[in-house]
Amino acid sequence: MSFLARHRIILPVVSLTVLLAATFYMQPRAMSYFGLNLLFNLAVPIALATIAQMMIIMVNDIDLSLGAFVSLVACVTATILNDTPALGLLILLALILSYALLGAVIHALEIPAIVVTLGMSFVWGGLALFILPSPGGASPDWLRTLMTVKPPFAPMAVVASVIIALVAHLLIIRSGIGTVLRGVGGNARSVAQAGWPVIRLKALAYGLAGLFGVLAGMALVGLTTSADANIALRYTLLSIAGVILGGGEFIGGKVSPTGAVIGALTLTLAASFLSFLRLSSDWQIGAQGAVLILVLTARLIFRQKGAEA
Amino acid sequence: MTDHESAPIVSLDNAAKHFGPVKALDGVSLVVTPGDCIGLVGHNGAGKSTLVNLINGALAPSSGSVGFSGGTSANEAGVRSVFQELSLCPNLTVAENLRISHTALKGPGWRRHARAEILQSLDTIFPGHGIDPMSEVDTLSIAERQMVEIAIGFAPRGMAARLVILDEPTSSLDAGIADQLLEHIKQFCAKGGAVVFISHMMGEVFEVASRIVVLKDGRIVAERDAADFTRQGLVDAMGHVTAEAADTAGTRQEFGPEVVRTEQGLTARKGEIVGLSGLAGHGQAAALARLYLSRSSAFRPGTSPEVVFVAGDRPRDGVLPLWSILRNISISVLGQGARHGLVDRDAEARIADQWKTRIGIRTDDVTNPILSLSGGNQQKVLFARALASPAPVVIMDDPMRGVDVGTKQDVYAMIRAEAARGRTFLWYSTETEEVCQCDRVFVFRDHEISAELTGADITEEKILEASFVLEEAS
Amino acid sequence: MNILTKPWLWSCVAAALAYALILGLTSGRGAGELAYAALSFGAFAAIVGLGQMLVITLGPGNVDLSIPATMTLAATLALKAMGTDPGTAVLGLGIALAVGFGVGVANYALIYLLRLPPIIATLAASLIYQSLAIWSNRGLRIKPPEGLADFATGRFLGLPNVTWVGLLLAIVVWIALERSVWGRWLLATGQNMRVARLAGVPVELVRASTYISVSVFAALAGYLLASFSGGAALNMGAEYLLMSIAVVVIGGSSIAGGNSNVPGVWGAALFMFLVVSMLNSYGAGAGARNVLTGAIIIGIVIAASTRRART
Amino acid sequence: ESHASATADKRIALSNNYAGNSWRQAMLQTWEEVGEQAVADGMLAAADAYTTAENQATEQAAQIQNMILQGYDAIVLNAASPTALNGAVKEACDAGVTVVSFDGIVTEPCAWRIAVDFAAMGEEQVEYLATRLSDGGNLLEIRGLAGVFVDDEISKGIHEGVAEHDQFEIVGSVHGDWAQDVSQKAVAGILPSLPEITGVVTQGGDGYGAAQAFKAAGRPTPLIVLGNRQDELKWWAEQRDANGYETLSLSIAPGVASLALWVAQQVLAGEEVPKDLTVPFLKITQDTLDDALANTPEGSVANVTYTLDDAKQVIADAK
Ligand SMILES: Nc1ncnc2c1ncn2[C@@H]1O[C@H](COP(=O)(O)OP(=O)(O)OP(=O)(O)O)[C@@H](O)[C@H]1O
Ligand SMILES: Nc1ncnc2c1ncn2[C@@H]1O[C@H](COP(=O)(O)OP(=O)(O)OP(=O)(O)O)[C@@H](O)[C@H]1O
Ligand SMILES: [Mg+2]
Ligand SMILES: [Mg+2]
């Protein structure tokens, strides 16, 4: 077992560092408190969404509805939570519970998650359109304050990313229940044989995904100050890419919360790096794809090293 | 029934389990009391694993009852199972896997406790095991995984284990480690623990069992003290017409030209049966996998394949779980009978039926799902898959895992007959007894060949010597 | 085998139900018209869905997200080459199929050579294809040659020509999956690639051909759609991303095979068109339409799965 | 010309959130042409265009933040959302960057807005129909992309128009996502359940698809209000030549990007510019059809390029 294969976290860290160095070289102004915050603050909701997606991937499922869900949360936050906080909180709580219920249903009926979440993406999107047929709403003040706070030493975006990674790491990697949840992804049958109620574990994993999805939507509104029904649709694919970039795998319960957060930061940074390159507008979209491929190609080194062991 | 101070840990009363028309267990009554060491034997598909699953609660009996004295469930009663198909979480560390089984392990500091507990258990059963409790299970060899699973079975986990059921625990362990396990079982039973030990290796069963229970077609056909059985008597009770032990190798010496030569120095000639031996996990399986992959293409569909593979690690390397028995057998021969790229379905059915009878797959219909077969019968399907193919070189990665005695003799004979017809076999086995049937043996140590034995040199002592020599010297 | 256990049944039932509900509103008026429209538009979804089904059959993590970009790129290049000149339809078709082939090879190369997870590889590559389409024509909408447009919108024996193409492809895919050696190989690879490789299946050949097939199908759909709707647009494939996955899963796909869901893809393709038409006809707003569509999708899947479990 | 030298060292960036249709491509092209000319003339130091992959406010917000870092003096913006970019726009203003939004405008007070009265555009369609179809009748509405501001505004205008002219009734409404093929499909699906349709009100980019759907269903072609796409205009001309078909086409011109460029230049030059400017939408009638068709490239959108003088005129009108 090679060093690199054992420490999957190194790859995301190296990718982010290299990209950051290149960005600083292209745009020295980014190398400041102010610059780092601008580069990374929109990565905070993406990081939260990536953790949410990771919870689902951890139990061998995939969530195609996450982007629509985060959009719905953003719409609720910018309208109901802002106008009548108590009702808003209640609705957000209900959304988390419905995610947990989804997990239980998927397990009980043995239907593929990809199907159910695909259906749910229509449902969440439709509900968001009900709440906010056209863009608008406003961020609750406390949320805006929270997302624009200026902590000493490091900007909010960096501090928040570290906190998210830490909390998720403690929850999933260190805690006992997190270990069991990863076990469900590794071998659900043996977890069941040991006497765990797998249906409840699945509900818990989905519930956690719902929780982080809600946090993502709220953080997003805190940054953008308002919402619309399509605001976070891209998060579905971004979050999947973030999990994989962070060293996670689609099956087998192999995930890394720290890696996922770094993956989300890398994706955000990659887009910025490209705009600093000032490509012709024909190729700007394609270049995003090229960077994504380039960053992931680094995995090859790890794979080959790993395969030898 | 039993004396008063040792109430039965578990008692089955006329318990039966039916899968549709299949009577996997057909009314079994069995009582396990503290200190019992029961050897459970029977042909492939006799119902042994089903019995285990009834006891540990994974399956509910179709009729009859399963009762525990120390609680309402197996878990509460201190009943532990080590399953035939490996059932660890490969993505977790060894210690974390203990956490999965030890549902009560909670609170801060659990990692330290888990680590200590599994290490303690491993040290007790397998002294000198060399397994790091912080390493992830998928980085371990199959033998190491088996050891971890056994260690978890015997670990205290909050309350001492009272009954440990071991379903073919030695099938992927080499002789030395298997001996350590047998030693531990004896001590465990001597201290008042109970064990149900399932194995197709009669030697092991006689060594540990105080009582032997013979299952045949879902019924108990014999239950006596081990001392009351003879080896032949036991095999007879299992109901197998043992093929008369064909006269072993050593007589045939004419082999064809060399057909295999690897960088490592592994060679084989046409018509030869070449054994790979040594301690488990010393690179034999990897050497075979490399050989197979280098001789077959992932891109070119060979009309006449050079090599075929018989897997021992069924879920990982062998079984296509969603398919029927028929499709699992025919996958390696599809290319041959095909016309215009379409499968010849009649020929396919013919081949499957033919192999069902030839190798004795216990099922009434080859269109049944493969997972409805017992472990040993699934293994037979993999044999059929390989032998049905015309490939001249057959690579076998510990293929007798969980195959019953009678079938083993049949397969040995079949292998010898095929070899006589000019096929070459490369055969890795954890059982020295099997390796000794080969024409030539390569012993592996630390991923290298440490000895090449032929003819009369192929003995258990020589193999052990070559497996260990460096460790003793250093 | 009991017909009720066929997983594809439910998408067909749902499609029929939606059809009946629309006709209920018009008391039977426009039945032929509606069926004709459903068969025309369903054909495009069915064609891309058949390709996506093959990819999904390859096992967890396999899905092609570059379908929309492939449709756009193939259609753009084909229509540009034809430039409304009569008699160039075959040239255009050739170009579209070549683009599909090239895209498939590129996707597979990323997956095989760089070991990228297919979801990410096809997603990233699709951005490049999109750029290529923009660069090649800057979004100008060129009309198809008249003969081609007439073919794409025309009918034969009462059915739309595009439906015939879709049905033909469905039969080809059905034979490939149910009867051919390649189909067996595909199903084996989907269950466990390592096992398939050790059983002598040329797994990489299977994966390559599958990724090429889906791209070729997408390119064909793009070519037909552009001819059908009067030109290629940069966003013409956008709705086929979710659609291609939806028709596969609603169609009752399970990767086991031997229980083919090719009819399910067609049923689901018709359903996806009819359900939107039904909700539009009943005057549902965008919000209600989405919620109901999602709920019905989940309902179908649950119905199909519990039926299967009970037997 | 004194202002020209005042902005000779100024750099302007275009932030565009979508490139996936011919309208946006025409917009980018106009920007490129006018921007290059301005740089060549020494009016500006740079006029760069940036595009994000999907129509998403979050990515555009990140893009604006990058532009702040890159030190642009002004950002010209076609926004994915009128409100969701306000956070980023505020940050730009605070960093001393001039922000001019057009087409998709932002509500943040520190930014300039070059707005099109989309509601009026919807209302005008119904008014035109009222002049043509005095008996009124059933209308089919084709909307754009659900949840987007422009869609909501135009639809609101249409419904106001219908409220005023009560001889009309909207009997069906579908979302065509501003794409011909999607509209064609949506219309084909709803047509069988609709009574006779006399008029179709649209949002641009969807009229040709609607016409195709009517033709395929074998229904008489109603009066379809068009949206300035070349294929629509060409179809119109063909219909006119064949049977005297008469209609109206209206949409916002993609060249409004050039107007925004000049407005930004004027702000940078220190001119006093009101925060809210309006541009008229581009209307094509039966009389101007041939001209428009002649000036529009094959497969593109009818366009107008604005000059610095046009911009000054628009500013003066607003004062
Ligand atoms: N899920 C199932 N569905 C149908 N039949 C089953 C199922 N599980 C087991 N059987 C059948 O029950 C019988 C007993 O199987 P079991 O696994 O108990 O055998 P075993 O004695 O453990 O054999 P082996 O030594 O090969 O492991 C077999 O005939 C098997 O085919
Ligand atoms: N054998 C070992 N190999 C590697 N690291 C070890 C080992 N033993 C302890 N550590 C490290 O020592 C530290 C303390 O670990 P330990 O799990 O004992 O703390 P704990 O208080 O039980 O944790 P928790 O609060 O999560 O339950 C951890 O960082 C752990 O990774
Ligand atoms: Mg068994
Ligand atoms: Mg600890």
Side-chain angles (χ1 to χ4, degrees):
Chain A
M1 199 78 219
S2 82
F3 178 76
L4 285 180
R6 187 179 279 243
H7 300 270
R8 317 168 135 258
I9 192 70
I10 295 173
L11 169 63
V13 171
V14 170
S15 314
L16 181 63
T17 314
V18 170
L19 204 55
L20 202 56
T23 307
F24 286 160
Y25 175 77
M26 299 287 306
Q27 189 50 259
R29 251 180 283 202
M31 216 182 335
S32 63
Y33 185 97
F34 174 70
L36 278 176
N37 200 40
L38 281 188
L39 274 185
F40 285 123
N41 66 5
L42 280 159
V44 174
I46 300 180
L48 287 164
T50 307
I51 295 290
Q53 183 71 260
M54 187 198 74
M55 298 289 176
I56 308 276
I57 290 181
M58 178 174 68
V59 293
N60 289 352
D61 287 343
I62 193 163
D63 185 358
L64 293 186
S65 72
L66 190 59
F69 181 74
V70 174
S71 303
L72 170 61
V73 171
C75 290
V76 172
T77 308
T79 54
I80 304 172
L81 186 69
N82 190 32
D83 304 336
T84 41
L87 180 63
L89 274 179
L90 214 63
I91 292 180
L92 293 179
L93 205 65
L95 286 177
I96 296 176
L97 286 180
S98 56
Y99 242 75
L101 185 71
L102 218 56
V105 168
I106 286 171
H107 180 78
L109 299 181
E110 293 177 49
I111 32 184
I114 186 169
V115 187
V116 179
T117 56
L118 185 82
M120 285 314 290
S121 73
F122 288 93
V123 174
W124 301 136
L127 291 176
L129 279 174
F130 270 128
I131 294 175
L132 213 53
S134 81
S139 161
D141 288 333
W142 59 269
L143 195 54
R144 179 77 187 143
T145 316
L146 186 68
M147 294 309 292
T148 49
V149 67
K150 293 201 164 52
F153 309 121
M156 181 283 298
V158 175
V159 175
S161 302
V162 171
I163 293 176
I164 295 167
L166 202 71
V167 169
H169 180 82
L170 287 178
L171 194 64
I172 293 308
I173 306 294
R174 302 291 304 180
S175 85
I177 193 70
T179 303
V180 180
L181 285 176
R182 280 184 292 132
V184 172
N187 188 344
R189 202 168 47 104
S190 83
V191 173
Q193 275 166 352
W196 293 95
V198 177
I199 186 163
R200 269 189 251 164
L201 291 173
K202 274 242 169 150
L204 177 63
Y206 274 76
L208 284 172
L211 173 66
F212 278 94
V214 164
L215 293 179
M218 292 174 70
L220 182 56
V221 173
L223 287 169
T224 61
T225 70
S226 81
D228 65 73
N230 304 323
I231 193 164
L233 293 186
R234 285 273 284 172
Y235 280 17
T236 303
L237 292 176
L238 278 178
S239 62
I240 296 173
V243 173
I244 301 305
L245 215 54
E249 300 198 1
F250 282 112
I251 42 171
K254 293 190 181 179
V255 292
S256 159
T258 320
V261 170
I262 295 177
L265 296 180
T266 309
L267 282 173
T268 313
L269 189 59
S272 303
F273 173 71
L274 283 174
S275 66
F276 298 147
L277 283 182
R278 290 205 224 161
L279 296 164
S280 111
S281 61
D282 286 356
W283 293 107
Q284 282 172 9
I285 294 170
Q288 297 184 18
V291 166
L292 201 56
I293 291 172
L294 221 63
V295 172
L296 276 162
T297 300
R299 284 162 57 103
L300 198 57
I301 307 165
F302 289 69
R303 279 299 178 88
Q304 279 172 348
K305 290 275 159 64
E308 279 161 22
Chain B
M1 299 205 301
T2 46
D3 57 29
H4 291 288
E5 53 215 337
S6 56
I9 301 170
V10 57
S11 50
L12 286 88
D13 184 24
N14 209 19
K17 179 72 198 173
H18 300 175
F19 296 102
V22 180
K23 293 179 176 164
L25 273 187
D26 199 12
V28 166
S29 300
L30 182 70
V31 171
V32 185
T33 52
D36 267 352
C37 186
I38 298 178
L40 183 59
V41 298
H43 59 80
N44 289 136
K48 304 181 294 295
S49 298
T50 308
L51 182 63
V52 174
N53 284 327
L54 282 192
I55 296 178
N56 70 32
L59 292 176
S62 311
S63 65
S65 70
V66 180
F68 302 97
S69 69
T72 53
S73 73
N75 252 337
E76 286 174 32
V79 175
R80 312 286 176 71
S81 311
V82 175
F83 294 94
Q84 182 173 12
E85 310 293 344
L86 293 182
S87 55
L88 296 170
C89 296
N91 58 329
L92 302 184
T93 66
V94 171
E96 284 172 338
N97 265 289
L98 178 82
R99 169 76 179 86
I100 301 283
S101 311
H102 188 344
T103 48
L105 189 56
K106 286 203 180 83
W110 70 266
R111 293 177 163 268
R112 205 175 37 248
H113 287 134
R115 230 166 16 235
E117 187 169 327
I118 187 67
L119 207 56
Q120 160 92 44
S121 183
L122 276 167
D123 286 344
T124 316
I125 308 171
F126 305 107
H129 53 83
I131 297 173
D132 176 6
M134 299 300 286
S135 56
E136 279 164 20
V137 166
D138 61 2
T139 66
L140 303 179
S141 71
I142 182 165
E144 285 173 321
R145 285 184 225 179
Q146 184 84 63
M147 288 154 73
V148 168
E149 207 162 338
I150 293 167
I152 291 178
F154 280 103
R157 284 152 54 183
M159 66 181 288
R162 296 178 64 210
L163 166 62
V164 180
I165 307 172
L166 300 160
D167 194 350
E168 302 191 30
T170 56
S171 59
S172 40
L173 300 182
D174 60 50
I177 297 187
D179 283 342
Q180 289 182 333
L181 173 63
L182 299 184
E183 196 50 45
H184 180 77
I185 294 175
K186 280 188 250 173
Q187 283 176 16
F188 182 74
C189 293
K191 284 189 210 135
V195 165
V196 173
F197 182 83
I198 300 173
S199 178
H200 290 292
M201 290 171 229
M202 295 306 135
E204 292 177 349
V205 175
F206 275 112
E207 190 175 340
V208 294
S210 56
R211 191 151 54 102
I212 295 180
V213 174
V214 183
L215 268 183
K216 185 184 168 194
D217 293 330
R219 292 174 167 281
I220 293 181
V221 292
E223 179 176 2
R224 269 174 273 156
D225 280 350
D228 299 345
F229 277 106
T230 63
R231 204 181 169 103
Q232 190 56 44
L234 186 57
V235 173
D236 289 346
M238 286 161 63
H240 250 286
V241 196
T242 313
E244 58 280 19
D247 53 341
T248 36
T251 49
R252 302 166 38 245
Q253 286 305 340
E254 307 95 61
F255 299 117
E258 190 171 280
V259 289
V260 172
R261 171 171 285 277
T262 72
E263 278 175 24
Q264 252 179 336
L266 196 60
T267 58
R269 287 165 293 181
K270 187 166 155 59
E272 194 176 23
I273 303 175
V274 174
L276 280 74
S277 187
L279 298 178
H282 275 237
Q284 301 92 330
L288 288 182
R290 262 202 312 278
L291 174 63
Y292 178 83
L293 294 178
S294 70
R295 288 295 194 90
S296 61
S297 169
F299 281 103
R300 255 181 310 103
T303 40
S304 52
E306 278 183 65
V307 288
V308 281
F309 192 88
V310 185
D313 190 342
R314 285 186 296 276
R316 194 186 65 160
D317 297 340
V319 165
L320 293 165
L322 300 176
W323 267 357
S324 62
I325 300 163
L326 176 123
R327 286 191 168 199
N328 263 286
I329 294 178
S330 69
I331 182 73
S332 64
V333 294
L334 286 178
Q336 276 106 51
R339 292 221 330 239
H340 311 299
L342 299 184
V343 175
D344 181 346
R345 299 205 293 168
D346 294 333
E348 185 187 18
R350 226 174 17 250
I351 291 175
D353 271 328
Q354 184 189 332
W355 280 98
K356 171 182 156 348
T357 31
R358 254 186 97 176
I359 206 164
I361 299 167
R362 285 185 164 254
T363 181
D364 42 301
D365 189 350
V366 286
T367 59
N368 285 335
I370 178 119
L371 291 187
S372 72
L373 290 181
S374 72
N377 279 300
Q378 291 179 21
Q379 193 64 47
K380 291 185 202 169
V381 171
L382 300 188
F383 259 113
R385 179 193 291 172
L387 294 181
S389 149
V393 178
V394 182
I395 294 175
M396 308 196 290
D397 176 8
D398 201 8
M400 298 294 182
R401 235 174 251 172
V403 176
D404 63 33
V405 210
T407 311
K408 264 186 200 167
Q409 295 303 335
D410 296 345
V411 176
Y412 294 158
M414 218 179 285
I415 288 175
R416 241 171 273 120
E418 292 283 325
R421 256 186 257 147
R423 275 214 203 184
T424 307
F425 287 83
L426 284 123
W427 184 358
Y428 165 51
S429 174
T430 45
E431 289 171 50
T432 325
E433 188 189 328
E434 281 174 6
V435 179
C436 290
Q437 310 214 0
C438 298
D439 301 316
R440 193 146 51 114
V441 172
F442 290 90
V443 185
F444 276 66
R445 195 179 59 230
D446 287 336
H447 297 263
E448 273 167 33
I449 292 174
S450 63
E452 178 183 342
L453 309 172
T454 46
D457 282 348
I458 307 179
T459 61
E460 188 153 0
E461 299 84 72
K462 286 250 159 95
I463 292 174
L464 279 178
E465 195 178 301
S467 312
F468 279 110
V469 77
L470 256 192
E471 268 125 314
E472 279 169 12
S474 62
Chain C
M1 206 187 183
N2 185 349
I3 179 106
L4 285 179
T5 63
K6 298 281 184 198
W8 50 261
L9 177 76
W10 295 95
S11 60
C12 299
V13 168
L17 216 63
Y19 183 70
L21 278 172
I22 301 178
L23 293 186
L25 197 66
T26 68
S27 34
R29 193 166 34 82
E33 216 177 300
L34 183 66
Y36 190 83
L39 286 168
S40 310
F41 290 97
F44 304 112
I47 293 173
V48 292
L50 288 168
Q52 190 72 280
M53 182 178 73
L54 294 177
V55 174
I56 288 178
T57 306
L58 272 177
N62 284 286
V63 64
D64 187 349
L65 298 183
S66 72
I67 286 180
T70 309
M71 291 172 73
T72 304
L73 182 61
T76 302
L77 294 182
L79 269 77
K80 191 175 180 192
M82 292 187 291
T84 70
D85 299 338
T88 50
V90 176
L91 169 77
L93 178 64
I95 287 177
L97 295 184
V99 168
F101 187 84
V103 163
V105 170
N107 283 343
Y108 176 70
L110 291 175
I111 294 166
Y112 177 70
L113 295 177
L114 304 184
R115 301 278 189 274
L116 300 188
I119 291 189
I120 311 281
T122 52
L123 170 69
S126 82
L127 296 174
I128 297 178
Y129 307 145
Q130 213 175 322
S131 261
L132 272 171
I134 291 177
W135 167 78
S136 66
N137 202 30
R138 302 228 51 162
L140 298 184
R141 199 174 146 95
I142 301 172
K143 278 207 178 342
E146 204 154 320
L148 178 59
D150 289 346
F151 169 79
T153 52
R155 62 175 79 194
F156 174 68
L157 295 181
L159 287 187
N161 288 337
V162 286
T163 306
W164 285 112
V165 175
L167 286 175
L168 199 72
L169 279 178
I171 292 170
V172 169
V173 170
W174 185 85
I175 291 175
L177 275 180
E178 291 294 302
R179 293 283 184 270
S180 81
V181 175
W182 181 83
R184 286 290 180 84
W185 284 342
L186 175 63
L187 297 170
T189 308
Q191 293 176 59
N192 185 333
M193 195 157 129
R194 186 185 164 91
V195 168
R197 174 77 175 84
L198 289 174
V201 174
V203 288
E204 294 302 339
L205 178 75
V206 169
R207 290 212 299 167
S209 50
T210 307
Y211 276 97
I212 292 171
S213 307
V214 65
S215 297
V216 170
F217 281 27
L220 179 67
Y223 172 79
L224 287 176
L225 180 59
S227 311
F228 179 87
S229 66
L234 283 178
N235 52 358
M236 61 183 272
E239 58 165 351
Y240 290 94
L241 178 65
L242 275 190
M243 179 81 80
S244 66
I245 302 174
V247 296
V248 176
V249 295
I250 301 171
S253 237
S254 75
I255 65 161
N259 200 353
S260 185
N261 34 57
V262 169
V265 169
W266 255 105
L270 296 178
F271 163 75
M272 287 300 281
F273 175 82
L274 288 168
V275 73
V276 172
S277 300
M278 175 189 84
L279 293 169
N280 274 335
S281 302
Y282 278 86
R289 210 178 58 217
N290 276 313
V291 171
L292 287 171
T293 307
I296 296 172
I297 289 177
I298 295 176
I300 295 174
V301 172
I302 289 180
S305 78
T306 47
R307 272 292 171 176
R308 226 175 321 170
R310 246 178 256 149
T311 52
Chain D
E1 290 303 272
S2 60
H3 296 319
S5 57
T7 57
D9 59 342
K10 300 291 188 190
R11 294 162 61 238
I12 301 183
L14 169 68
S15 167
N16 171 40
N17 62 315
Y18 186 59
N21 59 28
S22 53
W23 195 94
R24 292 288 172 129
Q25 287 297 331
M27 180 191 96
L28 285 169
Q29 203 138 22
T30 309
W31 173 275
E32 222 165 86
E33 285 162 16
V34 174
E36 263 169 33
Q37 191 58 45
V39 172
D41 292 347
M43 305 277 287
L44 292 170
D48 303 325
Y50 294 94
T51 285
T52 55
E54 301 288 326
N55 192 7
Q56 293 273 287
T58 46
E59 292 188 24
Q60 196 173 18
Q63 190 186 52
I64 292 171
Q65 294 179 337
N66 291 331
M67 290 171 175
I68 303 173
L69 274 179
Q70 281 165 282
Y72 281 102
D73 299 292
I75 296 172
V76 173
L77 177 68
N78 189 347
S81 155
T83 51
L85 293 171
N86 284 352
V89 170
K90 185 80 178 34
E91 279 167 42
C93 294
D94 291 348
V97 182
T98 300
V99 179
V100 178
S101 61
F102 70 98
D103 185 30
I105 51 164
V106 292
T107 58
E108 170 58 46
C110 75
W112 276 261
R113 273 165 295 281
I114 302 176
V116 176
D117 192 345
F118 287 112
M121 203 170 120
E123 207 167 339
E124 175 144 2
Q125 296 189 37
V126 185
E127 263 151 28
Y128 172 75
L129 291 179
T131 64
R132 293 284 316 283
L133 311 163
S134 44
D135 296 344
N138 296 324
L139 301 186
L140 170 64
E141 182 192 13
I142 305 180
R143 300 186 57 164
L145 211 52
V148 177
F149 157 77
V150 176
D151 166 60
D152 219 49
E153 283 294 302
I154 298 180
S155 180
K156 225 180 269 172
I158 289 173
H159 283 258
E160 271 163 23
V162 171
E164 257 170 51
H165 301 272
D166 53 10
Q167 69 268 43
F168 290 113
E169 189 196 353
I170 296 182
V171 292
S173 168
V174 297
H175 282 267
D177 298 359
W178 297 313
Q180 302 287 12
D181 52 331
V182 182
S183 315
Q184 186 179 354
K185 184 168 158 181
V187 173
I190 196 176
L191 263 190
S193 67
L194 294 181
E196 198 195 337
I197 300 292
T198 53
V200 181
V201 281
T202 65
Q203 296 202 352
D206 37 22
Y208 182 73
Q212 296 273 94
F214 274 93
K215 185 177 152 207
R219 292 213 178 190
T221 311
L223 209 172
I224 304 173
V225 181
L226 303 174
N228 289 2
R229 267 61 173 179
Q230 189 263 351
D231 52 0
E232 292 178 333
L233 300 179
K234 197 168 161 206
W235 172 82
W236 177 8
E238 283 164 11
Q239 298 296 308
R240 180 198 59 191
D241 298 344
N243 54 32
Y245 192 76
E246 214 178 302
T247 184
L248 172 75
S249 173
L250 72 180
S251 181
I252 176 170
V256 66
S258 58
L259 181 65
L261 176 90
W262 293 122
V263 169
Q265 188 266 346
Q266 288 291 299
V267 175
L268 290 178
E271 287 293 320
E272 196 190 315
V273 180
K275 284 278 161 90
D276 286 290
L277 305 170
T278 39
V279 280
F281 31 83
L282 179 60
K283 205 175 346 175
I284 299 169
T285 61
Q286 208 74 8
D287 303 330
T288 57
L289 172 59
D290 286 321
D291 267 354
L293 202 48
N295 291 328
T296 308
E298 177 97 18
S300 188
V301 187
N303 200 359
V304 193
T305 303
Y306 294 87
T307 61
L308 179 56
D309 291 333
D310 291 333
K312 285 179 176 162
Q313 187 60 48
V314 168
I315 294 169
D317 289 349
K319 276 182 184 164

